[in-house]
Amino acid sequence: MFARPTETERGEVRMTVETGSGAVDGSPDGTDGATDGARGADAREPEDAWGEVTPDAARRLLLAAVEAFAERGFHATTTRDIASRAGMSPAALYIHYRTKEELLYQISRVGHERSVRILTEANDSATNPADRLAAAVHAFVRWHAERHTTARVVQYELNALAEEHYTEIVALRRRSEEILRGILEDGVAVGEFTVADIRGTALAVLSLCIDVARWFRSGGSRTPEEIGTLYADLVLRMVGAPAGGSREGDRPER
Amino acid sequence: MFARPTETERGEVRMTVETGSGAVDGSPDGTDGATDGARGADAREPEDAWGEVTPDAARRLLLAAVEAFAERGFHATTTRDIASRAGMSPAALYIHYRTKEELLYQISRVGHERSVRILTEANDSATNPADRLAAAVHAFVRWHAERHTTARVVQYELNALAEEHYTEIVALRRRSEEILRGILEDGVAVGEFTVADIRGTALAVLSLCIDVARWFRSGGSRTPEEIGTLYADLVLRMVGAPAGGSREGDRPER
DNA sequence: GTCTATAAGAAGATAGAC
DNA sequence: GTCTATCTTCTTATAGAC
């Protein structure tokens, strides 16, 4: 029969990748794409973001998996492909990870923790809702563009996760959602934003940011920084708070 | 060796599904989701949209493929799964389609033709850019919500297409892009919109609409119609043309 | 047109030498 | 820790009876 991954100790695969660290520096050469999703051609970026992963081989495998999953998708990627990209034999993978799915889980977990962290820090970077929203969108979008390879896996391969892992990740996603919704609520409360459907608008904003990972490609005409700026502006407009501070836009409540 | 699909005549799989027809009526029970992508659970809708597909068995297979691809992704879906959903043996599939990829291609082609048609009709439904934009976004978003199962495959399984099919589909996607960009250009030209980066904004709007297919789920709290209305409003704001007609918002250029 | 049976190969994961 | 070799199962696709 088919032995399921036994619970034997095996180096304890659960690594403690310091999600934070100086990771958001990166390719300043990214740019926009078209309506067509990335097709393997690109899907590459300086992924030194995983520098913290403990055994060197484990890090190389993780990096190889990110590239492969982003290019071809989780199910279309073979363990042989991952191992060979990492310069190892197929069997070597199983020394560091119990299953192919665990690789995806690690990528997804670290990526989502990073997302929550980016949104949290942006949210704490200012007091007025408009600046908090602009900062959050700018940073979140920039990350999705700069780290589009990772982000593509993080955002679009969720369904391949095992049930228990999926549940854990969804909890992190809800946190992101709540942070954004909180900003909108505050903005409406202090009269800085004009939003009828807060929950719906929060979802739309998040969706807009996330989808950057799908279409962004290096070699286009816009840098991640520029797209972040564009999107922050668009989102401020969406909530009725034109960029540049809407001091004069405030209705005096009669 | 492994025989590639021979060019023998085999019932001519290339069907002529009238992309149009009364297909956009459908589930009025759809609604919003969360930040988590749909996970199989849902991924179902009255897909009578394929009613025009010629042999009955071919239609059932197409419908089964749409559901399976939407739930599990192209690569994770087996031909056995598709055939069994259609109530047939695995071999029956190959009477109507040369390969699994051809099923995806047909779904993708019909879906993209439908997208272009929706945008074209909306674009022709009015003369002033604001109404054209609102109509386009409303209809496009509504389709992505109502037909989210199909749309998910159409929008997110592109990479699994064979090279030649991919090229053909990308051409259709560019057409959609051009239609939207054209509306924005007209709006800026007549002073109805205030948009600095037309191309970037057009891409963002398209991206926002497309991503509805990823997160939408039946059983939520919003109907496709409501989401269409919300998004049309959000997009008008994005281009600096508040809903309800921005007659008083026009700068008289002095 | 549809079935049963099966070919041909590749997949994920393990065993055991080094 | 890493390799080579291999097990088991599943895959797409075909052959040929009905």
Side-chain angles (χ1 to χ4, degrees):
Chain A
M1 61 207 51
F2 227 41
R4 290 193 157 272
T6 46
E7 278 301 338
T8 58
E9 80 297 358
R10 183 199 295 264
E12 246 312 285
V13 183
R14 174 88 178 200
M15 286 149 298
T16 31
V17 182
E18 249 310 319
T19 317
S21 82
V24 190
D25 60 292
S27 84
D29 66 306
T31 348
D32 72 327
T35 342
D36 38 302
R39 192 179 178 70
D42 183 32
R44 178 173 292 268
E45 76 217 37
E47 201 71 45
D48 37 43
W50 306 95
E52 310 288 340
V53 179
T54 9
D56 179 76
R59 199 192 67 251
R60 271 159 42 223
L61 285 166
L62 211 53
L63 209 150
V66 167
E67 286 183 2
F69 292 163
E71 270 179 35
R72 330 212 318 111
F74 176 80
H75 289 295
T77 298
T78 69
T79 51
R80 281 169 172 77
D81 183 21
I82 297 170
S84 118
R85 281 176 196 248
M88 301 162 111
S89 77
L93 189 151
Y94 295 92
I95 294 154
H96 303 281
Y97 301 92
R98 277 195 293 244
T99 63
K100 186 173 82 161
E101 190 270 347
E102 182 168 330
L103 272 163
L104 176 63
Y105 168 58
Q106 295 299 340
I107 294 163
S108 198
R109 184 177 60 81
V110 172
H112 278 92
E113 284 169 358
R114 184 102 190 86
S115 287
V116 170
R117 197 158 183 270
I118 286 170
L119 292 174
T120 303
E121 287 179 355
N123 191 31
D124 293 343
S125 72
T127 47
N128 69 312
D131 288 346
R132 284 156 59 199
L133 182 60
V137 169
H138 187 103
F140 200 52
V141 164
R142 186 179 155 166
W143 183 76
H144 277 81
E146 268 170 356
R147 299 267 174 254
H148 61 276
T149 305
T150 301
R152 213 163 280 156
V153 178
V154 167
Q155 301 292 4
Y156 294 104
E157 299 293 330
L158 279 189
N159 291 316
L161 288 169
E163 196 59 40
E164 53 177 323
H165 293 159
Y166 180 78
T167 306
E168 179 185 335
I169 296 298
V170 165
L172 287 171
R173 293 177 80 80
R174 278 199 220 294
R175 288 236 20 223
S176 297
E177 210 176 311
E178 284 159 11
I179 292 170
L180 204 73
R181 193 168 57 235
I183 300 176
L184 296 198
E185 281 165 357
D186 291 352
V188 169
V190 302
E192 243 178 61
F193 301 161
T194 308
V195 175
D197 180 352
I198 292 179
R199 191 170 145 70
T201 304
L203 283 174
V205 170
L206 219 47
S207 163
L208 182 68
C209 297
I210 286 172
D211 203 51
V212 168
R214 181 178 57 85
W215 60 261
F216 182 89
R217 207 148 325 170
S218 305
S221 57
R222 293 173 184 80
T223 64
E225 172 68 24
E226 285 165 353
I227 295 176
T229 302
L230 170 63
Y231 271 56
D233 175 52
L234 291 175
V235 169
L236 284 180
R237 288 172 173 223
M238 283 167 81
V239 300
S246 54
R247 290 291 158 272
E248 82 286 359
D250 287 334
R251 289 167 307 156
E253 184 58 272
R254 198 184 57 81
Chain B
M1 61 209 50
F2 228 40
R4 290 194 156 268
T6 47
E7 276 300 337
T8 58
E9 81 298 357
R10 185 198 293 265
E12 247 310 289
V13 184
R14 175 85 177 202
M15 288 149 295
T16 31
V17 183
E18 250 310 321
T19 317
S21 81
V24 190
D25 60 290
S27 84
D29 65 306
T31 349
D32 72 326
T35 341
D36 36 304
R39 191 179 177 71
D42 183 31
R44 179 173 289 269
E45 75 217 36
E47 199 72 43
D48 37 43
W50 306 95
E52 310 288 339
V53 179
T54 11
D56 179 77
R59 199 192 66 250
R60 271 161 39 222
L61 285 165
L62 212 54
L63 210 150
V66 167
E67 287 183 2
F69 293 162
E71 270 179 34
R72 332 215 313 113
F74 176 81
H75 289 296
T77 298
T78 68
T79 50
R80 280 172 169 73
D81 183 19
I82 296 170
S84 114
R85 280 176 198 248
M88 301 160 111
S89 77
L93 188 152
Y94 295 92
I95 294 155
H96 302 280
Y97 300 93
R98 279 197 291 245
T99 62
K100 185 173 83 162
E101 191 269 349
E102 182 169 329
L103 271 163
L104 176 64
Y105 168 58
Q106 295 298 341
I107 294 163
S108 199
R109 184 177 59 81
V110 172
H112 278 90
E113 285 171 356
R114 184 103 190 88
S115 287
V116 171
R117 198 159 184 268
I118 286 170
L119 291 174
T120 303
E121 288 180 355
N123 191 30
D124 294 344
S125 72
T127 48
N128 68 312
D131 288 345
R132 284 156 59 201
L133 182 59
V137 170
H138 187 103
F140 200 52
V141 164
R142 185 178 155 166
W143 183 77
H144 277 82
E146 268 171 354
R147 299 268 175 251
H148 60 275
T149 305
T150 301
R152 212 163 281 157
V153 178
V154 167
Q155 301 292 4
Y156 295 103
E157 300 294 329
L158 279 188
N159 291 317
L161 287 170
E163 196 60 39
E164 53 176 323
H165 292 157
Y166 180 78
T167 307
E168 180 186 335
I169 296 298
V170 165
L172 287 172
R173 293 176 78 81
R174 278 200 220 294
R175 289 236 21 225
S176 297
E177 208 176 313
E178 283 159 12
I179 292 170
L180 205 72
R181 192 167 59 236
I183 299 176
L184 296 196
E185 281 165 355
D186 291 351
V188 170
V190 303
E192 245 178 58
F193 301 162
T194 310
V195 176
D197 180 353
I198 291 179
R199 193 171 142 71
T201 304
L203 283 173
V205 170
L206 220 45
S207 163
L208 182 68
C209 296
I210 285 171
D211 203 51
V212 168
R214 181 179 57 85
W215 60 261
F216 182 88
R217 208 148 324 170
S218 306
S221 57
R222 292 173 185 78
T223 63
E225 172 68 24
E226 285 165 354
I227 295 175
T229 302
L230 170 63
Y231 271 55
D233 175 53
L234 291 174
V235 168
L236 284 181
R237 289 174 171 220
M238 283 167 82
V239 299
S246 54
R247 289 292 157 270
E248 82 287 358
D250 287 333
R251 290 167 306 157
E253 187 58 272
R254 214 187 43 88

